[in-house]
Amino acid sequence: MRYLSHTQADRQAMLDVIGVESVDALFSPIPEALRATGLDLPAGLGELETRQHLEALAARNRIYGGASFLGAGSYNHFVPAAVRSLTSRAEFATAYTPYQAEVAQGTLQHIFEFQTALCELTGLGAANASMYDGPSALAEAAFLALRHNHRERILASAGLHPEERQVVATYASGPGFEVSTLDLDEDSGRTLVPTASELEGVGALLVRQPNFYGVIEDLRPLAEAAHDAGALLVVSQYPVTLGLLAPSAQVGADVAVGDVQPFGNARAFGGASAGYLVCRQDLVRQLPGRLVGQTIDADGKTAYALTLQAREQHIRRSRATSNICSNQALNALAATIHLALLGPRGLAELGEICVRRAHYLFEKLLEMPGIEPVFAGPFFNEFALRLPLPAAEFSQAMRARGVDPGVELARFSGGNGHRGGDRILVAVTEMNSPEDIGRYLTAARAVLAGETAPDPAAEEAPDA
Amino acid sequence: MRYLSHTQADRQAMLDVIGVESVDALFSPIPEALRATGLDLPAGLGELETRQHLEALAARNRIYGGASFLGAGSYNHFVPAAVRSLTSRAEFATAYTPYQAEVAQGTLQHIFEFQTALCELTGLGAANASMYDGPSALAEAAFLALRHNHRERILASAGLHPEERQVVATYASGPGFEVSTLDLDEDSGRTLVPTASELEGVGALLVRQPNFYGVIEDLRPLAEAAHDAGALLVVSQYPVTLGLLAPSAQVGADVAVGDVQPFGNARAFGGASAGYLVCRQDLVRQLPGRLVGQTIDADGKTAYALTLQAREQHIRRSRATSNICSNQALNALAATIHLALLGPRGLAELGEICVRRAHYLFEKLLEMPGIEPVFAGPFFNEFALRLPLPAAEFSQAMRARGVDPGVELARFSGGNGHRGGDRILVAVTEMNSPEDIGRYLTAARAVLAGETAPDPAAEEAPDA
Amino acid sequence: MLEMQPPIFARSRPGRRGFDLPAAGVPTPGGPEDRPGSIAGLLGEVEMRDEPPRLPELAEPEVVRHYTKLSQLNHAVDTGFYPLGSCTMKYNPKVNDELTGLPGFAELHPYQAVEDVQGTLQAMWELEQQLLELTGMRRASLQPAAGAHGELVGILMIRAWQRDRGEGHRDTVIVPDSAHGTNLATASMAGYKVVEMPSSAQGLIDLGSLKETLSRHQVSALMLTNPNTLGLFEEDILEISRLTHEAGALIYYDGANLNAILGKAKPGEMGMDVVHVNLHKTFSTPHGGGGPGAGPVAVGETLEPYLPAPLVARRPDSAGTGGAADLEGSADTYRSPEFYFEQERPKSIGRVRGFYGNVGVLIRALAYIISMGGDGLQQATEDAVLNANYLRARLRDTYEIPCDRMSMHEFVASAGRQKSYGVNARDVAKRILDSGMHAPSIYFPLIVPEALMIEPTETENRETLDAFVEVMRQIDRESREDPELVRTAPHTTPVRRPDEVLAARRPVLRWVPEDPVNG
Amino acid sequence: MLEMQPPIFARSRPGRRGFDLPAAGVPTPGGPEDRPGSIAGLLGEVEMRDEPPRLPELAEPEVVRHYTKLSQLNHAVDTGFYPLGSCTMKYNPKVNDELTGLPGFAELHPYQAVEDVQGTLQAMWELEQQLLELTGMRRASLQPAAGAHGELVGILMIRAWQRDRGEGHRDTVIVPDSAHGTNLATASMAGYKVVEMPSSAQGLIDLGSLKETLSRHQVSALMLTNPNTLGLFEEDILEISRLTHEAGALIYYDGANLNAILGKAKPGEMGMDVVHVNLHKTFSTPHGGGGPGAGPVAVGETLEPYLPAPLVARRPDSAGTGGAADLEGSADTYRSPEFYFEQERPKSIGRVRGFYGNVGVLIRALAYIISMGGDGLQQATEDAVLNANYLRARLRDTYEIPCDRMSMHEFVASAGRQKSYGVNARDVAKRILDSGMHAPSIYFPLIVPEALMIEPTETENRETLDAFVEVMRQIDRESREDPELVRTAPHTTPVRRPDEVLAARRPVLRWVPEDPVNG
Ligand SMILES: Cc1ncc(COP(=O)(O)O)c(C=O)c1O
Ligand SMILES: Cc1ncc(COP(=O)(O)O)c(C=O)c1O
């Protein structure tokens, strides 16, 4: 076994030091009745064979490259090689949570930088070191709000991602917090501003920006309504938009959450990436999870350390703000590095490319017979369409032509996905080149025309 | 440009410090007549587009995986992930030649370890820090021998790799050393022991082990003949054999060379890997290239440094033992790490697998009508066959079935390869699984039977 | 040269960039007349940013050097011994990182059609089967992102089960006083009251105190760790299980310490109802400086209906071809590839994160288990336990070992003796750092004063263990002869004892350009 | 903790292993009766090893930790400033490493059929075209593995050309005394006598001395570097070229310093006959602690027939489909894919290495050139020259600059002034190491006493250059105030001034178990 170094001679010598006869003696504290007799698992494989097994699995997955137009919370953004190169450095990857600050300044400082970057993006005052993902960050943010204003009701926009809504509901089920829903305007797709009575007793108003259907919300009136009712506005965001759209604080958010997957983290079937949670400075003692603070060391040098730990489980135990212990530090690092490479201009440009390409594809698709937008509200790089045929059929026919055309919305009405429904959610990023978009259009036209045989050769170049 | 950091403001400020008006002034030493006016190269591409271009190129290559049976100096051996992980560490990869020993102990020590490993494998006393590749190491070894015994003739076995023979000839052309050829026994394929007159004035006898046709040479009589004539025996080796075969020194080699590609270095279309050159301890001052020695530092601590530099170009200039400056340090490191992972038992086992699989395939192929061995001598994991059809035809038909069956020997009789000839050189390694071997046999049977359509589904499992 | 670095924001210079983006390359449909083709025009009535966020502006080489140098300030498993108790800092195989990075895994979108994701579903399914064999449980969810997340899932399942049986009034979770903080925090996050039970003198659960607590409270669940945080196996586990179940409560088994018992004992056979497993501990996935981890949760019969949805399932009669023919009459699926998601689980507590879990971590763990095999995992456990007991035997002379019995994969020493010379556990830990090793966990578990919780793991060789013993002995000597040296340690690290009080009193949680400290 | 490590051999313990191999999995045909199925039996009459080689025996975690810790003892471009003159230690883009590692490139065997290797052939062809545009030459061989290897190719081509014209008696190569050692060693390796010409007071080639040398010797070639090793452009280059050619000799252009002139001047237009290019310098491929590099050689019309074979060629009328139809009547190829090897070049000097070159390095360079583009390369040159002149301007107060004129991408300072305080160039260099920066090249070129050859490269920002100036000024101050501090530097590195005299007098070139030094 290549990962173990003891030889039998080592083992015997060590048993002698311990003063027992055999390895079995070491396990004497385990009652006889429980002593297992081996494992029903195959013998170990060498690295070559392990690789062959996993490579065969990877080959069973189908990768669409730039011809994938799926979003809905996981986006096809470019990850620069420097991000992989740096995050794979053993000093980052094989370290633990920075409990011994003196030998963990690397981790502590990059978390401090992550916190700073999130504050800059959102305009809010305090970010933590990361959460498991966007949805769980939203649930924790709702709890934060309820702790702050001592309430027990959560009002959730129908524009939340269905899965994040479910996560909030699951978290709320323990303490029994109530979660009710705020509808969308049928025309624009924007969240309707809640009335005072809807907000009665509500501690947290949860809104997604852009919302699940891609529509950019107008947050100011929602914030006002929430604040008038003594509730906090919690915004769940697609952070790429923050290079162009007004920062969260400016439009009234008290807490902002999201997932940094678009920054430096592969889609990886949905994980791992990192959630973030940023709040107003005055709410900092309600933050869940780790926080890094800057301080000075015994010699007066700038140094970093975990701070405000009295909020955390290992100190406060049952009165902690959350049970979170391990978070997603390495994924947060990937995001920090990617943001440092992008800089403010890069982030804005990235947003622009996404917006332009998405709007181009949108306009072109609307020219096709029977395709209609689901909502009229403004969108960034993702939009929902109504198709003249079942979405599952459309998707299958498109995939036969090498294009994964978008997420079938019926997937979220229960079941194992896409049965029935004519709506599809399409996302466009910098990875979908003009040629990929042309391919989408050609394929869609063929599918709508009822052509059966895929013709991978013919592609449409955009008339740029 | 993402690799450059100056802004226009930076540039202006720096020009001010220099005291010139414009960047153009910096280039004033270049005569007007020579001043280029731009470059006829396309505009730079972002990382995403650069990646797309190179990925498209990589996709134009065909990779056979375990179904590749090509050797002839470049072997399909497994490279453990730890090798890639460690050699890609920036501290190794982005450092220069260790001129400042105090900040290069990492490089210096791993070279020292490489030297040690090669001495252990060959049984010889002194190895250098690496050469460009096996063939150029052989040429340098021949020069070393001629320097040592002040002669000007090289006698080269016909069992050398044709390309290494060519490299020796090219190197020899400068000073005008004579290179003559020693034939192989037509039956066994082993190098014929040279007569005294053939060895007249010869300074270096060059032999390959196993030779180009895979035949394991009997080195002792060759060594004796060489030594009797005052020549040195230089052996060019496939180092994987050294886990099982007698060490070079034991059978009379004075100098051993080879390429560590099989240890930790990808085939990569033939480069980069690293050549090695090991010689008898007493010849050390004739060694070309860098050498690392162990010494002590100002505090008496063990330390490493480049040593015996008086042999090298930067000190001895025109009287250096070679002009080599940069070598293949990172590839040598890959080999050292791979050898450390393998250890003595692993290396022997690796050889065993190769031998067993090769001999199995060999026996099975000989059962097929019209296939015959070219030579009767013993072989390790590579063997030459005579086919009942043109090798080019065989290869093409096999490749249509997904198997790259071996190197067509006609490739080495000039021209762009494989025209005519019925001989093929087949190599088998641990990467060619029993299933791959079965696939080879099934395909070969079909090709010999004159079947036209490839049938990738039917595969033959070895009757193990 | 290990030198502190300025924050990357302080390195920023306006106008630099580390990234070149492609042109949009498509025509922009007209916006309003006054802003044709502009982004604001495209977006319509949307509030835009006035000023760009103050992200750092740097070229790529500057970014690479910054983070390379930051990395060098870290201790890590690959750079040295890391006997941090309860954290299982074992070697993280390199090949697993590479395999997880294969484009077939890394570039998969979570909502691709089920027939396009068979490879990853198979990987998840295989891992689940392996974990079930190792824990002796019935079914597992791979969704939780870490151990604590798994705990939350487990406790919410228990709560849902109890409400289903009309016992929603059970409002208490009990934990031993040696428990990890996450256990208590989890229980209260799920709305429970938490009662801590004092451990016995042997460091184990005291049966008398368990009985009493069970009778005095409306107990919903007992949470325990076995081996516990002292590294001791709960010898009365079967009795504990019987008593708890008789009282109508379930048992949550914190499997963070599973490394101690692979192939030796199974929580399922101990009567445990729900177990979480830390893939980033026992199953060798890298900790990443604090994550990502993964905390799959495995359950027995009672809780199976409550697992988070979706679960990965395999069609029992599948030919393994991954074909796309329709499967008639199945409520859960609409096609018949070999693997699929079981979505409709009416009693499920629901999701606890988006998508399906930290899939990249799952794949690493699968590769690890496949590489080790059953025998290898058992050997790993044996060596982990051997290493811990070896260190315990060799340190016993110089350090107090409060519960000095056969331990499992870790044990707890105390700096109590050294305390009498004026040196506490923190001082000992800091002084260890000067030797190029990491310190043990300190002041945990809470029941041992001046605790030093030592977990060597199985991937450390004997030479390293012996070197650690030497360091510990030397520190003991120093504590007697020159306690000031220890009290002011570390002396060789890039910084020394950052002022945590200051950090908490005046929290500086982000870089601000005006801040003179950051110049 | 930067600590020296024992040699990996000293860490070995019998019986450990870091690698698990698959079973052979095939039946073994019978050997001789007495050794059926044994390896010795399979191999037949072959002398086997009596004892295994003493390679280290270690588990994978031990190997990984060993080399991780070794790596930490290195300074590298990614960890800090590296102004090593003549070596062009610029940033090595990470994406290029990844691209070279794509299986489509990395797993290609050099003897695969030409239609199976079109991608790599295209990459090589594209790189050749780019290099020709940058150098102004006609054709290039990508075979040489490094700069010196390229020099050998160049000089052997010149020799072959001269022999062809019946001038084999020309036995001399001339080089300026500022030349890099490889130039001289190359010439003598190719069987030439070497004559060194003294440089002019300005540090340039002295036309008078050139004329005289040309007339006094049977000159075959002049080797020069431009900009030369002082960082100065040979302003009389056209005249040098005319004189040399008139004398019947050719000029070899050492292109190691091409970084200074991309898009600004082309060797081809200077009348150069052959040029090598260091891809591991100007074209950003990593140096790897001493290699691999690549030294493509580009030639003009005269030498084109002599280039090493094979060359990569592109069928001019190719449709780019990579089809495999036979091409009638071509002597060089037998199929008609777009790219192919030109093998038959009757005047070729032949190969200088196996296969085709350090292909992985070539791919990295291609990716770099594509990323930079024409404008980017020109900007890189401008910034490289700007940085060098900026440093020169800022250091001029404190250090002598023997040829203090507009320099190109590097310049040579001298510690002559400091020498008078008892501190030499080596001492200055060692003291620089204490600042976390690398030292310049020292004592080279030979014509400058106490030379400090400084090449910042274009990928360094101004802050780094300013920090270097501060360090240099501080060392100057120290030289005056506390020369002992400088003379005994470095003080903060893992080792200090290894004893090179001892190393050479009693060479220990390998680890031996008996050696007490290694414990
Ligand atoms: C005993 C125990 N339980 C639970 C946890 C929490 O695991 P995680 O950090 O993955 O949430 C830990 C980790 O520190 C632990 O040691
Ligand atoms: C001017 C000059 N010429 C030639 C060389 C030799 O190049 P290489 O080390 O690649 O052989 C160098 C490298 O140090 C150099 O600086």
Side-chain angles (χ1 to χ4, degrees), chain B residues 96-97 99 132 290 313 323-327, chain D residues 85-88 145-151 178-183 186 224-229 252 254-257 276-281 287 290 292-295 410 444 453 455:
Chain B
Y96 198 72
T97 301
Y99 288 134
Y132 300 135
R290 310 227 184 274
Q313 47 75 27
N323 70 339
I324 191 170
C325 177
S326 289
N327 51 37
Chain D
S86 205
C87 301
T88 314
H149 209 202
E151 293 174 30
S178 62
H180 194 264
T182 52
N183 293 182
T186 297
L224 59 75
T225 309
N226 191 20
N228 68 16
T229 60
Y252 185 92
D254 178 337
N257 292 343
H276 87 255
V277 172
N278 289 49
L279 299 187
H280 46 306
K281 297 184 176 180
H287 282 83
E410 63 189 355
F444 178 71
M453 186 187 202
E455 180 181 14

Side-chain angles (χ1 to χ4, degrees), chain A residues 33-253:
Chain A
L34 288 176
R35 225 59 89 66
T37 52
L39 289 167
D40 185 16
L41 290 175
L45 296 183
E47 181 174 333
L48 166 55
E49 294 156 297
T50 298
R51 173 175 282 278
Q52 283 163 347
H53 183 77
L54 274 286
E55 279 179 348
L57 292 183
R60 286 193 76 181
N61 292 332
R62 182 164 175 202
I63 300 305
Y64 289 85
S68 168
F69 291 81
L70 273 54
S74 175
Y75 296 90
N76 191 6
H77 286 291
F78 185 69
V79 181
V83 172
R84 276 181 295 273
S85 170
L86 291 166
T87 55
S88 68
R89 284 185 59 80
E91 295 89 329
F92 287 135
T94 76
Y96 198 73
T97 302
Y99 289 134
Q100 292 291 343
E102 287 89 345
V103 292
Q105 288 294 305
T107 297
L108 287 162
Q109 183 171 332
H110 79 64
I111 292 173
F112 181 77
E113 294 174 354
F114 174 79
Q115 293 172 182
T116 304
L118 268 299
C119 289
E120 290 297 338
L121 287 177
T122 59
L124 290 161
N128 76 2
S130 75
M131 306 300 288
Y132 300 135
D133 71 342
S136 62
L138 180 60
E140 292 265 21
F143 276 41
L144 179 159
L146 301 188
R147 268 196 307 279
H148 170 70
N149 50 31
H150 306 289
R151 295 187 177 178
E152 305 214 327
R153 280 194 63 204
I154 297 166
L155 185 57
S157 155
L160 290 189
H161 189 303
E163 291 189 0
E164 70 186 345
R165 158 75 195 225
Q166 288 163 23
V167 173
V168 171
T170 305
Y171 272 66
S173 74
F177 299 144
E178 185 195 313
V179 187
S180 42
T181 302
L182 193 55
D183 286 334
L184 302 182
D185 178 75
E186 284 189 8
D187 180 39
S188 70
R190 284 178 160 180
T191 303
L192 291 166
V193 179
T195 61
S197 76
E198 281 174 309
L199 280 163
E200 180 79 45
V202 165
L205 173 58
L206 315 185
V207 187
R208 187 174 175 91
Q209 175 73 316
N211 72 24
F212 180 64
Y213 302 97
V215 177
I216 304 179
E217 298 277 2
D218 187 5
L219 294 174
R220 280 191 191 266
L222 295 165
E224 262 167 49
H227 295 159
D228 286 351
L232 297 187
L233 178 66
V234 180
V235 181
S236 163
Q237 328 169 300
Y238 171 45
V240 171
T241 61
L242 293 172
L244 293 174
L245 301 190
S248 327
Q250 181 177 319
V251 290

Side-chain angles (χ1 to χ4, degrees), chain B residues 1-6 11 14 29 31 34-36 40 42 44-45 50-51 53 57 60-62 64 71 74 89-97 100 102-107 109 112-113 115-116 120-121 132-133 140 161 163 166 170-171 173-174 190 220 242 244-246 250-251 268-272 293-299 301 307 313 317-318 323 327-328 330-331 336 341-346 349 352-353 356-357 359 363 378-379 396 399 415-416 419 464, chain D residues 4-6 8 15 17-19 22-24 28-29 37 39 42-43 45 47 49 53-56 66-67 70-71 74-78 82 93 98 104 106 108-109 111-113 115-117 119-120 122 126 133 148-149 159 163 179 181-182 184 186 188-190 237 264 269 286-292 331-332 335 338 341 343-344 349 351 353-356 358 360 370-374 379 383 387 430 458-459 461 494-497 499 503 508-511 518:
Chain B
M1 223 307 119
R2 60 197 179 277
Y3 303 145
L4 304 176
S5 54
H6 293 335
R11 293 189 181 105
M14 293 168 74
L34 288 176
R35 225 59 87 69
D40 185 16
L45 295 183
T50 299
R51 174 174 281 276
H53 183 77
L57 291 183
R60 286 192 76 181
N61 292 332
R62 181 163 175 202
Y64 290 85
S74 175
R89 284 186 59 80
E91 294 89 329
F92 287 135
T94 76
Y96 198 72
T97 301
Q100 292 292 343
E102 289 88 345
V103 292
Q105 288 293 304
T107 297
Q109 183 171 332
F112 181 77
E113 294 174 353
Q115 294 172 181
T116 304
E120 292 296 338
L121 287 178
Y132 300 135
D133 70 342
E140 292 265 19
H161 190 303
E163 291 188 1
Q166 288 165 21
T170 305
Y171 272 65
S173 73
R190 283 178 159 179
R220 279 191 190 265
L242 293 172
L244 293 174
L245 301 190
Q250 180 178 319
V251 289
F269 208 52
Q294 196 187 56
T295 182
I296 53 170
D297 82 341
D299 302 317
K301 270 202 273 188
T307 192
Q313 47 75 27
R317 297 176 67 88
S318 66
N323 70 339
N327 51 37
Q328 307 280 128
L330 200 65
N331 304 98
T336 307
L341 288 169
L342 280 171
R345 279 190 302 156
E349 282 174 32
E352 280 212 25
I353 296 167
R356 285 186 198 279
R357 289 186 181 171
H359 283 253
E363 298 287 342
F379 68 93
Q396 201 174 352
R399 285 184 281 112
N416 204 37
R419 273 161 315 167
Chain D
M4 291 295 289
Q5 301 296 313
I8 187 126
R17 62 185 300 153
F19 199 58
T28 294
I39 284 295
L42 277 180
L43 293 180
E45 293 310 311
E47 189 169 341
R49 209 176 239 288
R54 286 173 307 186
L55 295 173
H66 178 79
Y67 288 103
L70 275 198
S71 77
N74 274 0
H75 184 91
V77 169
D78 282 6
Y82 215 135
E98 276 196 1
L108 207 62
H109 189 283
Y111 295 145
Q112 284 185 232
E115 62 268 32
D116 286 348
V117 302
T120 293
Q122 179 173 343
E126 288 183 0
E133 168 63 17
H149 209 202
R159 182 137 233 193
R163 283 176 180 154
T182 52
L184 298 91
T186 297
S188 59
M189 206 167 163
I237 185 71
K264 296 294 173 185
E269 291 173 13
H287 282 83
D332 281 334
R335 286 192 182 114
E338 186 174 0
F341 281 118
Q343 298 272 13
E344 271 152 42
I349 58 159
R351 321 184 133 265
R353 60 157 283 159
F355 312 123
Y356 319 112
N358 281 343
I370 286 175
S371 294
M372 298 294 285
Q379 185 67 60
D383 286 356
N387 282 0
K430 296 297 178 197
E458 74 278 8
T459 58
N461 63 22
V495 296
R496 305 174 44 231
R497 304 221 186 189
D499 186 340
V508 180
L509 304 177
R510 56 184 291 200
W511 182 78
N518 298 289

Side-chain angles (χ1 to χ4, degrees), chain D residues 162-236:
Chain D
Q162 234 143 17
R163 283 176 180 154
D164 268 5
R165 349 159 61 201
E167 304 214 330
H169 60 279
R170 289 180 178 260
D171 62 355
T172 300
V173 165
I174 51 181
V175 296
D177 56 3
S178 62
H180 194 264
T182 52
N183 293 182
L184 298 91
T186 297
S188 59
M189 206 167 163
Y192 282 107
K193 285 196 321 206
V194 183
V195 172
E196 286 189 66
M197 290 187 303
S199 300
S200 73
Q202 290 76 45
L204 299 174
I205 290 179
D206 184 283
L207 287 180
S209 134
L210 174 65
K211 278 184 218 155
E212 199 199 297
T213 316
L214 284 169
S215 65
R216 276 235 310 269
H217 297 272
Q218 295 290 348
V219 176
S220 177
L222 163 65
M223 295 182 87
L224 59 75
T225 309
N226 191 20
N228 68 16
T229 60
L230 287 157
L232 302 175
F233 196 91
E234 294 288 355
E235 300 183 4
D236 297 324

Side-chain angles (χ1 to χ4, degrees), chain C residues 17 28 39 78 116 152 173 179 214 242 248 250 296 304 345 358 380 392 401 420 429 456 496 499:
Chain C
R17 62 185 301 153
T28 294
I39 284 295
D78 281 6
D116 286 347
L152 183 62
V173 164
L214 284 169
R242 198 181 57 75
L250 297 184
E304 184 180 339
R345 300 185 52 88
N358 281 342
R392 186 176 53 82
I401 316 278
S420 64
R496 305 172 46 230
D499 186 338

Side-chain angles (χ1 to χ4, degrees), chain C residues 195-216:
Chain C
V195 173
E196 286 190 66
M197 288 187 303
S199 299
S200 73
Q202 289 77 44
L204 299 174
I205 291 181
D206 185 283
L207 288 181
S209 133
L210 174 65
K211 278 185 221 158
E212 200 199 297
T213 316
L214 284 169
S215 65
R216 276 235 309 268

